[in-house]
Amino acid sequence: MRKGVALLITITVISTLLALIGVSFSYLERAKKDSADTASIIQANIFYKDIAKTLITLLKGKNSQDVISTLYLAPQTIAEQKGDFFLTIGCEPLSNGADINWLGLGSDEKSNAKFNIASTLFDEVASKYDIDDAQTLLKLIIEDIEGKESSQRLKQKKGIISKNQFDIILKRYFQESSDMKVFSIPWRKYFSFLSKDSMIDSKYVSAEFISLLFGIDIITAQDDWIVGEDLLKFLQDQSVDLALYNNKIFSKSLLRSMECSSNYSYNGEIYKFSFNYLDGRVGYFEFYGKQ
């Protein structure tokens, strides 16, 4: 088995699963008593609050890195032994790319390293996917970063803080350019959408990110890069130019910024919701309804 692939089952991981099981089945008993009056979205909200509390508690512990790695590896499933109830919980890193807001740091000398990473990556993406008018798209992105977009009446602060917000920028770009190619670009493989102060979770960057930013053949990156391992060592083994690698930007520790999603059964149907965990805080709850 390839190095780094084997999962080490730790006491922390077991505690994670037991905690989630306890949360889920404690609610299941409540739901059974009042199932006729409990709508699926109410149930989702209760699951969300209970799971969020459990995660906050577990990720404050000294073995939080093991918990995060387990949730990233594969969704954890909880099922009723005698019945149809089940719930899954899995998470993905939110900081595993260059933050899109770094594109607005061109005039900040203290942030040159972040700006160089983001601008280099944007140029490479524009070239690889043959964006028709990259300068117009960049202009629209910077307008949102600086809070100049007039349609954003309800925006409370500057910056692009979600992929949904970025998708709206892509739609505005399409209206100006009629270039549909931007919708097929896997932006999340290259960029994150949090804040200019964020770092890059180096252990969980994509092969596509590595290929474009460090000039490594994509086939080599896909074959040799193992998610969860040491990015710097991988780059050194590939003998690439490390000018864009910066220890203050590429974190070797797992960052506590992730998007978690859950599927659960209710009345014979399957429903889904998601939320973000950002360094001890949860938010951005979204209910997707029946799957």
Side-chain angles (χ1 to χ4, degrees):
M1 186 176 293
R2 299 178 68 186
K3 179 181 178 182
V5 175
L7 171 64
L8 299 178
I9 303 299
T10 65
I11 294 176
T12 302
V13 174
I14 296 173
S15 298
T16 303
L17 301 183
L18 291 177
L20 291 177
I21 289 172
V23 166
S24 299
F25 281 104
S26 67
Y27 172 68
L28 181 60
E29 291 304 315
R30 283 180 280 158
K32 284 180 177 178
K33 296 177 182 178
D34 197 25
S35 59
D37 300 321
T38 305
S40 60
I41 190 170
I42 301 299
Q43 187 173 11
N45 269 281
I46 295 175
F47 279 136
Y48 158 60
K49 291 178 181 179
D50 286 347
I51 293 173
K53 288 179 182 177
T54 303
L55 283 179
I56 289 173
T57 299
L58 289 171
L59 296 182
K60 286 180 179 178
K62 62 181 180 179
N63 294 319
S64 60
Q65 300 283 302
D66 294 329
V67 177
I68 295 173
S69 296
T70 300
L71 292 171
Y72 284 175
L73 183 67
Q76 305 301 312
T77 301
I78 303 159
E80 189 180 19
Q81 289 184 349
K82 297 181 180 180
D84 297 327
F85 171 80
F86 76 89
L87 179 145
T88 66
I89 175 70
C91 301
E92 296 180 352
L94 283 174
S95 298
N96 58 337
D99 197 284
I100 198 74
N101 293 285
W102 297 350
L103 289 171
L105 297 175
S107 60
D108 185 352
E109 293 185 2
K110 295 181 180 179
S111 301
N112 278 343
K114 288 184 174 181
F115 174 74
N116 289 337
I117 289 172
S119 59
T120 297
L121 196 57
F122 180 83
D123 290 344
E124 292 294 332
V125 169
S127 176
K128 176 179 176 63
Y129 295 96
D130 193 25
I131 296 177
D132 289 348
D133 192 349
Q135 289 307 306
T136 293
L137 176 57
L138 181 60
K139 176 179 72 70
L140 294 174
I141 291 172
I142 293 177
E143 283 179 356
D144 254 53
I145 291 172
E146 296 178 348
K148 294 179 180 179
E149 168 50 36
S150 59
S151 66
Q152 303 277 340
R153 293 183 301 169
L154 300 179
K155 186 186 294 184
Q156 297 181 354
K157 60 181 180 179
K158 297 179 181 180
I160 300 171
I161 58 174
S162 71
K163 179 58 166 59
N164 288 340
Q165 185 181 343
F166 182 71
D167 289 341
I168 294 173
I169 298 173
L170 296 182
K171 291 176 182 177
R172 295 209 312 273
Y173 166 76
F174 172 70
Q175 291 172 352
E176 293 193 21
S177 67
S178 299
D179 179 14
M180 293 191 65
K181 292 191 292 294
V182 292
F183 298 118
S184 60
I185 297 173
W187 292 100
R188 280 290 290 114
K189 290 184 179 294
Y190 305 106
F191 291 96
S192 61
F193 306 89
L194 294 172
S195 77
K196 63 182 178 62
D197 298 320
S198 60
M199 298 175 66
I200 296 175
D201 201 337
S202 67
K203 291 180 180 293
Y204 284 89
V205 294
S206 69
E208 290 81 358
F209 174 95
I210 295 172
S211 174
L212 287 196
L213 188 62
F214 296 104
I216 298 176
D217 177 73
I218 184 59
I219 301 301
T220 299
Q222 289 173 337
D223 288 347
D224 295 346
W225 168 240
I226 299 175
V227 172
E229 294 205 341
D230 189 323
L231 175 61
L232 179 57
K233 183 178 185 305
F234 172 78
L235 296 175
Q236 291 171 335
D237 289 344
Q238 298 296 324
S239 301
V240 302
D241 184 355
L242 295 175
L244 290 174
Y245 186 92
N246 187 314
N247 286 323
K248 295 181 179 180
I249 298 175
F250 288 86
S251 174
K252 287 190 174 183
S253 299
L254 295 183
L255 299 177
R256 291 171 171 81
S257 300
M258 53 190 177
E259 179 181 40
C260 299
S261 61
S262 176
N263 289 299
Y264 66 94
S265 60
Y266 174 72
N267 262 357
E269 303 289 351
I270 299 174
Y271 296 86
K272 179 181 179 180
F273 66 88
S274 69
F275 63 92
N276 287 358
Y277 176 93
L278 301 173
D279 197 20
R281 296 174 291 109
V282 294
Y284 299 100
F285 171 83
E286 187 167 358
F287 180 67
Y288 295 96
K290 189 184 301 183
Q291 300 300 293

PDB file of all heavy atoms in Angstrom, residues 222-245:
ATOM      1  N   GLN A 222      -0.349  14.227 -10.753  1.00  0.00           N
ATOM      2  CA  GLN A 222      -1.463  13.338 -10.416  1.00  0.00           C
ATOM      3  C   GLN A 222      -0.970  11.969  -9.963  1.00  0.00           C
ATOM      4  O   GLN A 222      -1.572  11.347  -9.070  1.00  0.00           O
ATOM      5  CB  GLN A 222      -2.397  13.203 -11.618  1.00  0.00           C
ATOM      6  CG  GLN A 222      -3.195  14.463 -11.918  1.00  0.00           C
ATOM      7  CD  GLN A 222      -3.992  14.359 -13.201  1.00  0.00           C
ATOM      8  OE1 GLN A 222      -3.668  13.566 -14.097  1.00  0.00           O
ATOM      9  NE2 GLN A 222      -5.041  15.155 -13.314  1.00  0.00           N
ATOM     10  N   ASP A 223       0.100  11.493 -10.558  1.00  0.00           N
ATOM     11  CA  ASP A 223       0.602  10.159 -10.220  1.00  0.00           C
ATOM     12  C   ASP A 223       1.400  10.138  -8.916  1.00  0.00           C
ATOM     13  O   ASP A 223       1.333   9.156  -8.153  1.00  0.00           O
ATOM     14  CB  ASP A 223       1.484   9.624 -11.358  1.00  0.00           C
ATOM     15  CG  ASP A 223       0.672   9.226 -12.584  1.00  0.00           C
ATOM     16  OD1 ASP A 223      -0.564   9.126 -12.472  1.00  0.00           O
ATOM     17  OD2 ASP A 223       1.286   9.028 -13.647  1.00  0.00           O
ATOM     18  N   ASP A 224       2.168  11.202  -8.647  1.00  0.00           N
ATOM     19  CA  ASP A 224       3.134  11.166  -7.556  1.00  0.00           C
ATOM     20  C   ASP A 224       2.705  11.920  -6.301  1.00  0.00           C
ATOM     21  O   ASP A 224       3.192  11.619  -5.206  1.00  0.00           O
ATOM     22  CB  ASP A 224       4.482  11.719  -8.032  1.00  0.00           C
ATOM     23  CG  ASP A 224       5.119  10.859  -9.113  1.00  0.00           C
ATOM     24  OD1 ASP A 224       4.654   9.719  -9.296  1.00  0.00           O
ATOM     25  OD2 ASP A 224       6.061  11.323  -9.779  1.00  0.00           O
ATOM     26  N   TRP A 225       1.824  12.908  -6.449  1.00  0.00           N
ATOM     27  CA  TRP A 225       1.409  13.670  -5.271  1.00  0.00           C
ATOM     28  C   TRP A 225       0.366  12.893  -4.479  1.00  0.00           C
ATOM     29  O   TRP A 225      -0.647  12.474  -5.019  1.00  0.00           O
ATOM     30  CB  TRP A 225       0.841  15.027  -5.683  1.00  0.00           C
ATOM     31  CG  TRP A 225       0.133  15.777  -4.583  1.00  0.00           C
ATOM     32  CD1 TRP A 225      -1.166  16.174  -4.572  1.00  0.00           C
ATOM     33  CD2 TRP A 225       0.689  16.243  -3.341  1.00  0.00           C
ATOM     34  NE1 TRP A 225      -1.478  16.849  -3.420  1.00  0.00           N
ATOM     35  CE2 TRP A 225      -0.350  16.900  -2.632  1.00  0.00           C
ATOM     36  CE3 TRP A 225       1.952  16.149  -2.753  1.00  0.00           C
ATOM     37  CZ2 TRP A 225      -0.154  17.475  -1.373  1.00  0.00           C
ATOM     38  CZ3 TRP A 225       2.153  16.716  -1.499  1.00  0.00           C
ATOM     39  CH2 TRP A 225       1.110  17.372  -0.825  1.00  0.00           C
ATOM     40  N   ILE A 226       0.630  12.695  -3.200  1.00  0.00           N
ATOM     41  CA  ILE A 226      -0.302  12.016  -2.309  1.00  0.00           C
ATOM     42  C   ILE A 226      -0.865  13.049  -1.337  1.00  0.00           C
ATOM     43  O   ILE A 226      -0.139  13.622  -0.523  1.00  0.00           O
ATOM     44  CB  ILE A 226       0.392  10.886  -1.523  1.00  0.00           C
ATOM     45  CG1 ILE A 226       0.953   9.842  -2.498  1.00  0.00           C
ATOM     46  CG2 ILE A 226      -0.580  10.236  -0.550  1.00  0.00           C
ATOM     47  CD1 ILE A 226       1.759   8.750  -1.819  1.00  0.00           C
ATOM     48  N   VAL A 227      -2.155  13.294  -1.448  1.00  0.00           N
ATOM     49  CA  VAL A 227      -2.812  14.275  -0.591  1.00  0.00           C
ATOM     50  C   VAL A 227      -2.613  13.897   0.873  1.00  0.00           C
ATOM     51  O   VAL A 227      -2.779  12.740   1.255  1.00  0.00           O
ATOM     52  CB  VAL A 227      -4.316  14.359  -0.922  1.00  0.00           C
ATOM     53  CG1 VAL A 227      -5.039  15.239   0.090  1.00  0.00           C
ATOM     54  CG2 VAL A 227      -4.522  14.909  -2.327  1.00  0.00           C
ATOM     55  N   GLY A 228      -2.216  14.865   1.685  1.00  0.00           N
ATOM     56  CA  GLY A 228      -1.972  14.632   3.093  1.00  0.00           C
ATOM     57  C   GLY A 228      -0.497  14.542   3.445  1.00  0.00           C
ATOM     58  O   GLY A 228      -0.138  14.534   4.625  1.00  0.00           O
ATOM     59  N   GLU A 229       0.359  14.506   2.412  1.00  0.00           N
ATOM     60  CA  GLU A 229       1.793  14.419   2.687  1.00  0.00           C
ATOM     61  C   GLU A 229       2.445  15.803   2.655  1.00  0.00           C
ATOM     62  O   GLU A 229       1.776  16.829   2.504  1.00  0.00           O
ATOM     63  CB  GLU A 229       2.455  13.454   1.700  1.00  0.00           C
ATOM     64  CG  GLU A 229       1.997  12.017   1.881  1.00  0.00           C
ATOM     65  CD  GLU A 229       3.016  11.004   1.391  1.00  0.00           C
ATOM     66  OE1 GLU A 229       3.889  11.382   0.599  1.00  0.00           O
ATOM     67  OE2 GLU A 229       2.932   9.846   1.812  1.00  0.00           O
ATOM     68  N   ASP A 230       3.757  15.846   2.783  1.00  0.00           N
ATOM     69  CA  ASP A 230       4.521  17.090   2.890  1.00  0.00           C
ATOM     70  C   ASP A 230       4.739  17.689   1.506  1.00  0.00           C
ATOM     71  O   ASP A 230       5.467  17.135   0.685  1.00  0.00           O
ATOM     72  CB  ASP A 230       5.867  16.801   3.575  1.00  0.00           C
ATOM     73  CG  ASP A 230       6.633  18.064   3.924  1.00  0.00           C
ATOM     74  OD1 ASP A 230       6.591  19.023   3.136  1.00  0.00           O
ATOM     75  OD2 ASP A 230       7.269  18.085   4.984  1.00  0.00           O
ATOM     76  N   LEU A 231       4.126  18.847   1.244  1.00  0.00           N
ATOM     77  CA  LEU A 231       4.233  19.469  -0.074  1.00  0.00           C
ATOM     78  C   LEU A 231       5.664  19.903  -0.373  1.00  0.00           C
ATOM     79  O   LEU A 231       6.155  19.695  -1.491  1.00  0.00           O
ATOM     80  CB  LEU A 231       3.297  20.679  -0.167  1.00  0.00           C
ATOM     81  CG  LEU A 231       3.393  21.493  -1.464  1.00  0.00           C
ATOM     82  CD1 LEU A 231       3.036  20.637  -2.669  1.00  0.00           C
ATOM     83  CD2 LEU A 231       2.520  22.731  -1.394  1.00  0.00           C
ATOM     84  N   LEU A 232       6.327  20.513   0.600  1.00  0.00           N
ATOM     85  CA  LEU A 232       7.689  20.987   0.348  1.00  0.00           C
ATOM     86  C   LEU A 232       8.610  19.838  -0.035  1.00  0.00           C
ATOM     87  O   LEU A 232       9.402  19.960  -0.975  1.00  0.00           O
ATOM     88  CB  LEU A 232       8.230  21.706   1.587  1.00  0.00           C
ATOM     89  CG  LEU A 232       9.664  22.234   1.464  1.00  0.00           C
ATOM     90  CD1 LEU A 232       9.800  23.184   0.285  1.00  0.00           C
ATOM     91  CD2 LEU A 232      10.095  22.916   2.765  1.00  0.00           C
ATOM     92  N   LYS A 233       8.525  18.728   0.668  1.00  0.00           N
ATOM     93  CA  LYS A 233       9.362  17.574   0.329  1.00  0.00           C
ATOM     94  C   LYS A 233       9.046  17.077  -1.077  1.00  0.00           C
ATOM     95  O   LYS A 233       9.949  16.727  -1.849  1.00  0.00           O
ATOM     96  CB  LYS A 233       9.159  16.443   1.335  1.00  0.00           C
ATOM     97  CG  LYS A 233      10.057  15.231   1.096  1.00  0.00           C
ATOM     98  CD  LYS A 233       9.849  14.162   2.137  1.00  0.00           C
ATOM     99  CE  LYS A 233      10.855  13.014   1.937  1.00  0.00           C
ATOM    100  NZ  LYS A 233      10.805  12.457   0.575  1.00  0.00           N
ATOM    101  N   PHE A 234       7.768  17.056  -1.434  1.00  0.00           N
ATOM    102  CA  PHE A 234       7.387  16.623  -2.781  1.00  0.00           C
ATOM    103  C   PHE A 234       8.003  17.540  -3.833  1.00  0.00           C
ATOM    104  O   PHE A 234       8.547  17.060  -4.840  1.00  0.00           O
ATOM    105  CB  PHE A 234       5.860  16.629  -2.906  1.00  0.00           C
ATOM    106  CG  PHE A 234       5.370  16.376  -4.309  1.00  0.00           C
ATOM    107  CD1 PHE A 234       5.338  15.097  -4.842  1.00  0.00           C
ATOM    108  CD2 PHE A 234       4.943  17.433  -5.100  1.00  0.00           C
ATOM    109  CE1 PHE A 234       4.905  14.860  -6.137  1.00  0.00           C
ATOM    110  CE2 PHE A 234       4.501  17.218  -6.407  1.00  0.00           C
ATOM    111  CZ  PHE A 234       4.486  15.923  -6.921  1.00  0.00           C
ATOM    112  N   LEU A 235       7.930  18.846  -3.612  1.00  0.00           N
ATOM    113  CA  LEU A 235       8.483  19.800  -4.575  1.00  0.00           C
ATOM    114  C   LEU A 235       9.995  19.659  -4.669  1.00  0.00           C
ATOM    115  O   LEU A 235      10.571  19.733  -5.770  1.00  0.00           O
ATOM    116  CB  LEU A 235       8.108  21.220  -4.174  1.00  0.00           C
ATOM    117  CG  LEU A 235       6.608  21.561  -4.192  1.00  0.00           C
ATOM    118  CD1 LEU A 235       6.375  22.970  -3.654  1.00  0.00           C
ATOM    119  CD2 LEU A 235       6.031  21.432  -5.594  1.00  0.00           C
ATOM    120  N   GLN A 236      10.643  19.445  -3.546  1.00  0.00           N
ATOM    121  CA  GLN A 236      12.096  19.251  -3.554  1.00  0.00           C
ATOM    122  C   GLN A 236      12.477  17.986  -4.303  1.00  0.00           C
ATOM    123  O   GLN A 236      13.464  17.965  -5.054  1.00  0.00           O
ATOM    124  CB  GLN A 236      12.627  19.213  -2.117  1.00  0.00           C
ATOM    125  CG  GLN A 236      12.541  20.553  -1.401  1.00  0.00           C
ATOM    126  CD  GLN A 236      12.869  20.454   0.080  1.00  0.00           C
ATOM    127  OE1 GLN A 236      12.715  19.391   0.696  1.00  0.00           O
ATOM    128  NE2 GLN A 236      13.324  21.550   0.666  1.00  0.00           N
ATOM    129  N   ASP A 237      11.685  16.935  -4.131  1.00  0.00           N
ATOM    130  CA  ASP A 237      11.946  15.687  -4.846  1.00  0.00           C
ATOM    131  C   ASP A 237      11.791  15.868  -6.360  1.00  0.00           C
ATOM    132  O   ASP A 237      12.443  15.178  -7.141  1.00  0.00           O
ATOM    133  CB  ASP A 237      10.997  14.588  -4.367  1.00  0.00           C
ATOM    134  CG  ASP A 237      11.314  14.116  -2.955  1.00  0.00           C
ATOM    135  OD1 ASP A 237      12.431  14.411  -2.470  1.00  0.00           O
ATOM    136  OD2 ASP A 237      10.446  13.464  -2.338  1.00  0.00           O
ATOM    137  N   GLN A 238      10.923  16.815  -6.744  1.00  0.00           N
ATOM    138  CA  GLN A 238      10.704  17.075  -8.170  1.00  0.00           C
ATOM    139  C   GLN A 238      11.694  18.078  -8.734  1.00  0.00           C
ATOM    140  O   GLN A 238      11.692  18.346  -9.946  1.00  0.00           O
ATOM    141  CB  GLN A 238       9.278  17.598  -8.388  1.00  0.00           C
ATOM    142  CG  GLN A 238       8.184  16.635  -7.985  1.00  0.00           C
ATOM    143  CD  GLN A 238       8.175  15.370  -8.811  1.00  0.00           C
ATOM    144  OE1 GLN A 238       8.455  15.402 -10.014  1.00  0.00           O
ATOM    145  NE2 GLN A 238       7.877  14.248  -8.181  1.00  0.00           N
ATOM    146  N   SER A 239      12.542  18.636  -7.863  1.00  0.00           N
ATOM    147  CA  SER A 239      13.583  19.598  -8.269  1.00  0.00           C
ATOM    148  C   SER A 239      13.007  20.790  -9.026  1.00  0.00           C
ATOM    149  O   SER A 239      13.543  21.216 -10.059  1.00  0.00           O
ATOM    150  CB  SER A 239      14.647  18.896  -9.139  1.00  0.00           C
ATOM    151  OG  SER A 239      15.254  17.836  -8.434  1.00  0.00           O
ATOM    152  N   VAL A 240      11.918  21.359  -8.501  1.00  0.00           N
ATOM    153  CA  VAL A 240      11.290  22.504  -9.162  1.00  0.00           C
ATOM    154  C   VAL A 240      11.756  23.805  -8.517  1.00  0.00           C
ATOM    155  O   VAL A 240      12.348  23.817  -7.432  1.00  0.00           O
ATOM    156  CB  VAL A 240       9.756  22.411  -9.087  1.00  0.00           C
ATOM    157  CG1 VAL A 240       9.263  21.124  -9.719  1.00  0.00           C
ATOM    158  CG2 VAL A 240       9.277  22.506  -7.641  1.00  0.00           C
ATOM    159  N   ASP A 241      11.477  24.903  -9.184  1.00  0.00           N
ATOM    160  CA  ASP A 241      11.791  26.228  -8.668  1.00  0.00           C
ATOM    161  C   ASP A 241      10.862  26.536  -7.491  1.00  0.00           C
ATOM    162  O   ASP A 241       9.641  26.514  -7.626  1.00  0.00           O
ATOM    163  CB  ASP A 241      11.592  27.265  -9.782  1.00  0.00           C
ATOM    164  CG  ASP A 241      12.003  28.667  -9.359  1.00  0.00           C
ATOM    165  OD1 ASP A 241      12.354  28.858  -8.172  1.00  0.00           O
ATOM    166  OD2 ASP A 241      11.961  29.571 -10.214  1.00  0.00           O
ATOM    167  N   LEU A 242      11.449  26.839  -6.346  1.00  0.00           N
ATOM    168  CA  LEU A 242      10.671  27.072  -5.130  1.00  0.00           C
ATOM    169  C   LEU A 242      10.482  28.556  -4.825  1.00  0.00           C
ATOM    170  O   LEU A 242      10.160  28.931  -3.698  1.00  0.00           O
ATOM    171  CB  LEU A 242      11.350  26.397  -3.937  1.00  0.00           C
ATOM    172  CG  LEU A 242      11.425  24.866  -3.974  1.00  0.00           C
ATOM    173  CD1 LEU A 242      12.237  24.351  -2.799  1.00  0.00           C
ATOM    174  CD2 LEU A 242      10.023  24.270  -3.958  1.00  0.00           C
ATOM    175  N   ALA A 243      10.634  29.407  -5.834  1.00  0.00           N
ATOM    176  CA  ALA A 243      10.539  30.847  -5.610  1.00  0.00           C
ATOM    177  C   ALA A 243       9.182  31.255  -5.043  1.00  0.00           C
ATOM    178  O   ALA A 243       9.090  32.206  -4.260  1.00  0.00           O
ATOM    179  CB  ALA A 243      10.806  31.593  -6.915  1.00  0.00           C
ATOM    180  N   LEU A 244       8.120  30.544  -5.416  1.00  0.00           N
ATOM    181  CA  LEU A 244       6.780  30.895  -4.952  1.00  0.00           C
ATOM    182  C   LEU A 244       6.379  30.179  -3.665  1.00  0.00           C
ATOM    183  O   LEU A 244       5.298  30.433  -3.131  1.00  0.00           O
ATOM    184  CB  LEU A 244       5.748  30.591  -6.047  1.00  0.00           C
ATOM    185  CG  LEU A 244       5.799  31.497  -7.284  1.00  0.00           C
ATOM    186  CD1 LEU A 244       4.828  31.003  -8.350  1.00  0.00           C
ATOM    187  CD2 LEU A 244       5.492  32.944  -6.908  1.00  0.00           C
ATOM    188  N   TYR A 245       7.240  29.283  -3.192  1.00  0.00           N
ATOM    189  CA  TYR A 245       6.923  28.586  -1.944  1.00  0.00           C
ATOM    190  C   TYR A 245       7.393  29.431  -0.772  1.00  0.00           C
ATOM    191  O   TYR A 245       8.550  29.844  -0.697  1.00  0.00           O
ATOM    192  CB  TYR A 245       7.587  27.211  -1.893  1.00  0.00           C
ATOM    193  CG  TYR A 245       7.152  26.396  -0.682  1.00  0.00           C
ATOM    194  CD1 TYR A 245       6.076  25.536  -0.761  1.00  0.00           C
ATOM    195  CD2 TYR A 245       7.808  26.533   0.542  1.00  0.00           C
ATOM    196  CE1 TYR A 245       5.657  24.803   0.354  1.00  0.00           C
ATOM    197  CE2 TYR A 245       7.398  25.819   1.659  1.00  0.00           C
ATOM    198  CZ  TYR A 245       6.323  24.954   1.554  1.00  0.00           C
ATOM    199  OH  TYR A 245       5.902  24.251   2.650  1.00  0.00           O
TER     200      TYR A 245
END
